[in-house]
Amino acid sequence: MTLRFFMLFGIISAVLLIVCIVRSSMSKRPISKPVTGLLLCVLVVVVGNIFIAVTASEKLAYVGYMLYLTGTDVMFYFFAHFCCEYCEISFKKTWSQYFIMSIVILDFFSVIVNPMFHHVFVLEKIEVTDGLYYSLVSNAFHYVHLAINYILALFCFAIILKSAIKSSHLVASKYWMIIILFVIVAIWESYYIFSKEPIDSSVIGYTIMAIIIYYYAVQYSPFRLRDRMLSEVMVKLEDGIVFYNIDDKCTYVNDSALDILGEEEENKEMFGNALLGIINDEGYIREDEYECSRIYTGSGIEKYLTLSWHRMYDNQQKHIGSYISIHDRTLEEHKMKEQIYKSTHDNLTGIYNMEFFCTQVRRRLEDNPDREYTMVVSDICEFKLVNDVFGHDAGDSILIQIADFLRKYCIEDDVYGRLSNDRFALLMPTSDYSDKKFLDLTVVDPPKVMGNEHHPIYIQMGVYMNVDKDLSAYQMIDRAFMALHSIKGDMAQKLAYYNDDIRNSTIWQQSICASLKDAITAGDIVPYLQAQIDSQGKMRGAEVLVRWNHKTEGFLPPGKFIPVLEEQGLIIQVDKFMWRSACEILRRWTDKGDYNTYLSVNISPRDFYFVDLLETFSSLIKEYDLHPSRLRLEITESAVMADKNSRFRVMKKLRESGFILEMDDFGSGYSSLNMLKEMPIDVLKLDMVFLRESENMARSRDIIESMVSLAHKLDLSVINEGVETQEQVEFLKTIGTEMFQGYYYCRPLSVDEFELKYDM
Ligand code: C2E
Ligand code: MG
Ligand code: MG
């Protein structure tokens, strides 16, 4: 190669390199930093070589060689840095960086100090065809320099080769390009070394390689790769994509679009047009983009879709087509519907829940301001007992039956729902209401799950006719329930209508409950005693009966306030007070020397829920130092029915502790002779109520006689309560009854009156 040619080439290279350096330094890609460094170094090497080629001065040639050698040192450093970045291998702050940097710096200084020691090279003047030329004569450290350069070159080559082998052929081309250049430059360089040519023409190779590296690393974006990636994304995309050409003809449909719409590839044109039709219908007036939500039923399956249409342009803003992206919201929509359904409907029966029923009631009333409506609520009698005796499945099946009935019975204008547990509500136009319809409903046949046992389920209803539309739905329900409460416990009554009396009674009940606590502390609630007399006419004990001297209502008999307190769960407060009062009285009598007279206290069925009876009575007896047999406990049969096994357990323990248990009101309610033999009791209190009420006296007497004899057979003693006439007493004596309680002997008396009368 002639010097002139080399010089010309050098200048062109320098210019090209400067352009690349400027552009690379402006690039924001991270790799542009090592590339800029690399280009700068190659520029230094080229400039060095130009000096070598053009100068006749030995000094300038010396500087040229210095630039050339130091330039290649730093060039290899940047090349290593570039290769690592290019192959995505960490370089900065790694051992490789520190090692390469150290050897490069050492060699750099070795070259710098060459003018002093000449350990790297000296110059030799050579004549060539077109002029003078200073050639490099290697000393020992030049070989060290070359060795370092070759080691670094090999390191870079290995990195690039490894990445080329590992990566996909679509990506590998960027590595192979550099490998090929690498090999060419290496061959060129080797040729220079072995041919002993004076001018290092491999610099040309460096330049070309640097520029191509710059192009690949900083400028090049692999279109083939990008296109491949885009088409891959398009195929894998969950959303459907449909492309249209400028004539709105469908040209491409991805797999997801086919899946979403449940269509076949061959129908793509047809449904492509159908989709575009939807966009058109929705009012796309040749705008650039449009989005709409639609239910698509093209293939017979209902799909909730969000369609977005976009018009596409090229660089010159010329229309090149459009596409529709299809987002399938069917699953989300179903989930949302399910959630809404769950939050508005009752899980078990599938009809409206309380909140949604109330919302719908409000809506119905507002939509029909001129129509009168009636609110009906229902409650199953003793539903807890049904669950307890027949199991929860049976209970659930009754509730489902009621909901099914409502579904069948109700017409469009009715609103119905399950409010809670066994409570249902129905709002209907008053004109459609007739009590006959409901009376049929009040006895539900026992569901099959209950087997053959005949246990009809009674339902009671409260009706609030012509609801006041200014009230909230909750208040309307409350009023219907007030009516229902007025007949609660009376199974013979099935329907009750709300009226002002019921409202007043509810208000009265609320005031009674509210004043209870104060009444107890103020001493308005007091025990009365009714004597129990033996067949010789001797008083043996007394029943403790509560009385309330109400501040405003006057004297209240228990029948008036006890059911109210029982329902509100407040009876326990009264009972605890009565039990304690009984103990106080017994203590006083004992202190006066009476160790025998006993007192019977009443236990409400509700008390079992609120206190541990064994614990309560045991500690009372202990506190007042009394024998347990002097505090008799009266329990009604209905108290035991609710949860037979656990109640029997408590009763047995009470008996074992020495208390005497009396079965109260036997014969007045739903007495079962069957229960009698299992019941852990000592005394049977036979209520004379049906001797009083019966028309067939002879028959009633026979029943009483057999009951007394049965009780005796079961080792129970009998107290006849409600004895009113001498005739009754005489009859009862003939059949062997030993104890009596009733107006015939004595009405309930205040404690003072009682003590005075019986000289206590
Ligand atoms: P009970 O336990 O069966 O009490 C007997 C009821 O019969 C008493 O009514 C008593 O006054 C009444 N009586 C007594 N002899 C006759 C008679 O010859 N003829 C008629 N017709 N009635 C008679 P009272 O005091 O009105 O109590 C009614 C019910 O209230 C009681 O029935 C009892 O179940 C309940 N009760 C009374 N005091 C309490 C109490 O402190 N706690 C609880 N939980 N209930 C109580
Ligand atoms: Mg009693
Ligand atoms: Mg009684």
Side-chain angles (χ1 to χ4, degrees):
M1 184 182 287
T2 62
L3 281 177
R4 247 189 228 124
F5 175 75
F6 184 77
M7 210 170 73
L8 180 71
F9 174 79
I11 290 165
I12 296 169
S13 302
V15 172
L16 282 175
L17 283 168
I18 289 167
V19 171
C20 294
I21 289 164
V22 171
R23 296 197 64 163
S24 172
S25 64
M26 278 169 9
S27 164
K28 287 200 172 68
R29 292 193 186 181
I31 201 161
S32 64
K33 274 190 187 148
V35 171
T36 312
L38 182 69
L39 289 165
L40 267 170
C41 294
V42 174
L43 180 66
V44 170
V45 171
V46 169
V47 170
N49 271 287
I50 293 172
F51 280 9
I52 297 164
V54 296
T55 187
S57 143
E58 185 179 353
K59 273 189 187 151
L60 216 53
Y62 205 92
V63 172
Y65 278 111
M66 295 284 278
L67 285 175
Y68 176 30
L69 295 187
T70 49
T72 46
D73 270 338
V74 186
M75 181 188 80
F76 274 110
Y77 169 78
F78 279 113
F79 189 50
H81 184 183
F82 158 77
C83 290
C84 290
E85 286 273 348
Y86 199 59
C87 302
E88 282 162 23
I89 297 167
S90 5
F91 180 73
K92 279 196 169 166
K93 294 184 185 159
T94 62
W95 285 110
S96 321
Q97 184 193 17
Y98 297 137
F99 177 71
I100 294 170
M101 200 182 259
S102 313
I103 55 171
V104 163
I105 289 171
L106 285 175
D107 194 54
F108 186 90
F109 280 106
S110 159
V111 176
I112 292 278
V113 296
N114 188 56
M116 282 181 260
F117 304 110
H118 309 294
H119 58 297
V120 183
F121 66 89
V122 285
L123 294 188
E124 187 186 19
K125 198 189 234 175
I126 292 175
E127 297 241 357
V128 282
T129 39
D130 51 349
L132 248 184
Y133 170 69
Y134 284 95
S135 164
L136 180 142
V137 180
S138 301
N139 284 335
F141 275 84
H142 185 227
Y143 296 109
V144 173
H145 165 82
L146 289 176
I148 288 172
N149 285 184
Y150 293 145
I151 288 168
L152 290 180
L154 270 174
F155 169 79
C156 297
F157 184 76
I159 289 175
I160 300 271
L161 186 67
K162 192 177 163 205
S163 300
I165 293 166
K166 261 176 51 185
S167 50
S168 144
H169 72 281
L170 286 166
V171 182
S173 64
K174 71 172 193 175
Y175 300 118
W176 286 115
M177 195 63 209
I178 291 170
I179 288 168
I180 293 164
L181 283 168
F182 211 101
V183 172
I184 295 169
V185 173
I187 294 168
W188 209 327
E189 181 75 32
S190 315
Y191 169 75
Y192 159 68
I193 293 166
F194 294 111
S195 68
K196 301 277 181 207
E197 274 250 339
I199 296 166
D200 183 1
S201 56
S202 68
V203 167
I204 300 171
Y206 289 163
T207 310
I208 297 169
M209 187 165 172
I211 290 171
I212 292 178
I213 281 176
Y214 156 77
Y215 172 74
Y216 262 87
V218 182
Q219 288 292 318
Y220 171 72
S221 23
F223 285 115
R224 232 179 96 215
L225 179 68
R226 200 182 60 191
D227 289 352
R228 185 61 216 264
M229 280 170 142
L230 283 176
S231 65
E232 194 72 4
V233 169
M234 201 58 76
V235 172
K236 297 270 164 66
L237 205 66
E238 265 183 42
D239 282 357
I241 297 285
V242 184
F243 285 135
Y244 299 89
N245 64 15
I246 46 170
D247 302 321
D248 289 343
K249 287 252 153 45
C250 177
T251 53
Y252 169 78
V253 181
N254 73 348
D255 289 351
S256 301
L258 294 172
D259 281 353
I260 291 171
L261 305 176
E263 302 280 4
E264 298 295 324
E265 167 88 55
E266 55 262 30
N267 297 338
K268 74 175 184 195
E269 201 135 310
M270 197 184 71
F271 72 78
N273 290 339
L275 286 182
L276 209 59
I278 292 174
I279 302 279
N280 262 319
D281 292 349
E282 291 284 329
Y284 112 84
I285 353 155
R286 298 265 148 204
E287 287 166 2
D288 281 349
E289 42 189 44
Y290 186 76
E291 191 174 287
C292 66
S293 296
R294 260 310 177 94
I295 300 174
Y296 181 84
T297 44
S299 59
I301 312 159
E302 200 178 64
K303 291 276 186 174
Y304 291 83
L305 306 178
T306 299
L307 304 175
S308 340
W309 176 81
H310 299 263
R311 188 189 281 272
M312 291 185 288
Y313 297 95
D314 68 3
N315 288 348
Q316 276 82 46
Q317 290 303 303
K318 281 192 184 143
H319 178 203
I320 52 168
S322 62
Y323 73 90
I324 291 179
S325 74
I326 309 164
H327 178 64
D328 184 2
R329 290 182 294 108
T330 313
L331 217 71
E332 297 155 40
E333 203 74 22
H334 285 173
K335 263 194 198 144
M336 206 168 77
K337 277 194 174 165
E338 197 181 302
Q339 265 168 6
I340 292 175
Y341 182 86
K342 272 190 185 156
S343 65
T344 54
H345 288 71
D346 170 47
N347 273 352
L348 177 71
T349 60
I351 60 175
Y352 293 163
N353 61 18
M354 164 101 145
E355 287 72 32
F356 199 57
F357 170 75
C358 291
T359 318
Q360 292 298 92
V361 164
R362 223 16 313 140
R363 224 172 267 172
R364 189 57 46 92
L365 296 177
E366 275 161 17
D367 291 348
N368 301 279
D370 302 328
R371 237 175 153 180
E372 293 288 4
Y373 279 88
T374 290
M375 177 74 79
V376 184
V377 296
S378 72
D379 185 44
I380 300 172
C381 303
E382 303 291 356
F383 188 63
K384 274 206 183 86
L385 202 70
V386 173
N387 272 330
D388 200 59
V389 176
F390 301 107
H392 271 267
D393 288 345
D396 285 354
S397 130
I398 294 172
L399 298 175
I400 293 168
Q401 271 189 46
I402 295 175
D404 286 345
F405 170 84
L406 286 168
R407 274 195 201 99
K408 233 188 283 167
Y409 171 81
C410 291
I411 52 166
E412 215 176 285
D413 220 4
D414 302 344
V415 185
Y416 55 91
R418 180 180 170 205
L419 304 179
S420 63
N421 309 321
D422 57 336
R423 294 170 158 210
F424 292 81
L426 162 65
L427 180 88
M428 63 191 315
T430 305
S431 53
D432 293 343
Y433 177 82
S434 111
D435 54 1
K436 272 196 209 102
K437 288 179 187 172
F438 288 104
L439 284 171
D440 293 344
L441 218 202
T442 50
V443 184
V444 174
D445 276 336
K448 282 178 200 137
V449 262
M450 292 185 186
N452 295 325
E453 241 170 305
H454 182 67
H455 191 288
I457 308 302
Y458 292 96
I459 297 174
Q460 288 183 316
M461 297 193 191
V463 183
Y464 173 29
M465 299 280 280
N466 299 331
V467 296
D468 176 351
K469 290 180 180 173
D470 291 334
L471 297 178
S472 72
Y474 292 94
Q475 286 170 308
M476 294 170 195
I477 293 170
D478 273 353
R479 288 196 171 183
F481 269 115
M482 280 182 203
L484 196 149
H485 276 280
S486 68
I487 52 167
K488 209 156 185 214
D490 181 356
M491 302 253 197
Q493 302 253 41
K494 290 166 181 173
L495 265 176
Y497 292 89
Y498 171 82
N499 56 33
D500 281 349
D501 289 349
I502 285 178
R503 182 159 177 260
N504 292 340
S505 137
T506 309
I507 293 169
W508 180 84
Q509 289 177 10
Q510 281 166 353
S511 84
I512 282 293
C513 292
S515 57
L516 176 70
K517 225 175 186 170
D518 289 346
I520 294 176
T521 26
D524 296 346
I525 289 181
V526 288
Y528 266 51
L529 305 179
Q530 187 178 29
Q532 291 181 349
I533 312 290
D534 69 10
S535 47
Q536 267 74 51
K538 193 170 178 317
M539 187 276 289
R540 292 306 189 100
E543 178 174 2
V544 185
L545 297 159
V546 67
R547 296 293 180 264
W548 188 339
N549 293 311
H550 198 279
K551 290 251 163 24
T552 51
E553 301 280 328
F555 186 82
L556 290 178
K560 218 170 166 191
F561 64 86
I562 281 182
V564 178
L565 298 181
E566 277 187 329
E567 202 186 317
Q568 299 304 318
L570 296 172
I571 188 66
I572 185 65
Q573 296 182 20
V574 173
D575 279 351
K576 272 183 158 180
F577 175 70
M578 297 304 285
W579 302 339
R580 181 166 285 277
S581 304
C583 290
E584 274 169 17
I585 296 166
L586 285 171
R587 183 70 252 155
R588 210 173 48 246
W589 291 350
T590 313
D591 291 344
K592 284 190 199 161
D594 176 359
Y595 295 96
N596 298 317
T597 315
Y598 62 82
L599 287 178
S600 301
V601 291
N602 288 286
I603 296 174
S604 158
R606 287 296 200 110
D607 294 338
F608 282 90
Y609 294 111
F610 293 106
V611 284
D612 176 347
L613 291 175
L614 181 67
E615 215 278 315
T616 311
F617 285 117
S618 303
S619 55
L620 269 175
I621 289 298
K622 213 167 154 198
E623 189 184 334
Y624 288 92
D625 192 17
L626 297 167
H627 192 274
S629 64
R630 295 190 65 202
L631 188 68
R632 295 189 172 195
L633 312 176
E634 292 193 12
I635 299 169
T636 55
E637 196 182 356
S638 59
V640 185
M641 287 277 281
D643 183 1
K644 211 174 79 180
N645 294 338
S646 88
R647 302 284 149 91
F648 276 10
R649 224 174 297 132
V650 177
M651 288 163 75
K652 270 181 196 145
K653 281 195 185 142
L654 284 166
R655 284 185 77 205
E656 280 160 19
S657 306
F659 290 98
I660 291 173
L661 262 60
E662 299 181 354
M663 165 101 323
D664 202 358
D665 297 344
F666 197 80
S668 69
Y670 304 92
S671 307
S672 129
L673 290 173
N674 199 32
M675 282 277 268
L676 202 55
K677 71 172 193 294
E678 300 174 50
M679 205 101 68
I681 50 162
D682 306 276
V683 179
L684 192 70
K685 286 191 82 175
L686 267 184
D687 201 319
M688 289 302 103
V689 70
F690 82 106
L691 242 195
R692 283 199 296 270
E693 284 166 5
S694 175
E695 281 170 13
N696 189 339
M697 280 302 267
R699 200 173 151 78
S700 300
R701 280 163 187 256
D702 283 349
I703 293 172
I704 290 184
E705 190 174 350
S706 7
M707 285 212 277
V708 170
S709 98
L710 178 72
H712 285 159
K713 273 190 192 139
L714 292 171
D715 246 354
L716 304 173
S717 55
V718 176
I719 300 180
N720 284 291
E721 58 174 332
V723 181
E724 286 182 345
T725 61
Q726 189 171 3
E727 193 195 348
Q728 283 173 359
V729 175
E730 268 157 21
F731 160 69
L732 292 168
K733 277 185 181 167
T734 59
I735 61 168
T737 322
E738 50 274 16
M739 291 291 293
F740 307 91
Q741 180 187 341
Y743 295 167
Y744 174 72
Y745 290 101
C746 181
R747 283 185 172 263
L749 300 172
S750 70
V751 179
D752 287 346
E753 286 169 330
F754 185 89
E755 287 178 348
L756 203 68
K757 178 165 177 161
Y758 294 102
D759 198 18
M760 303 294 293

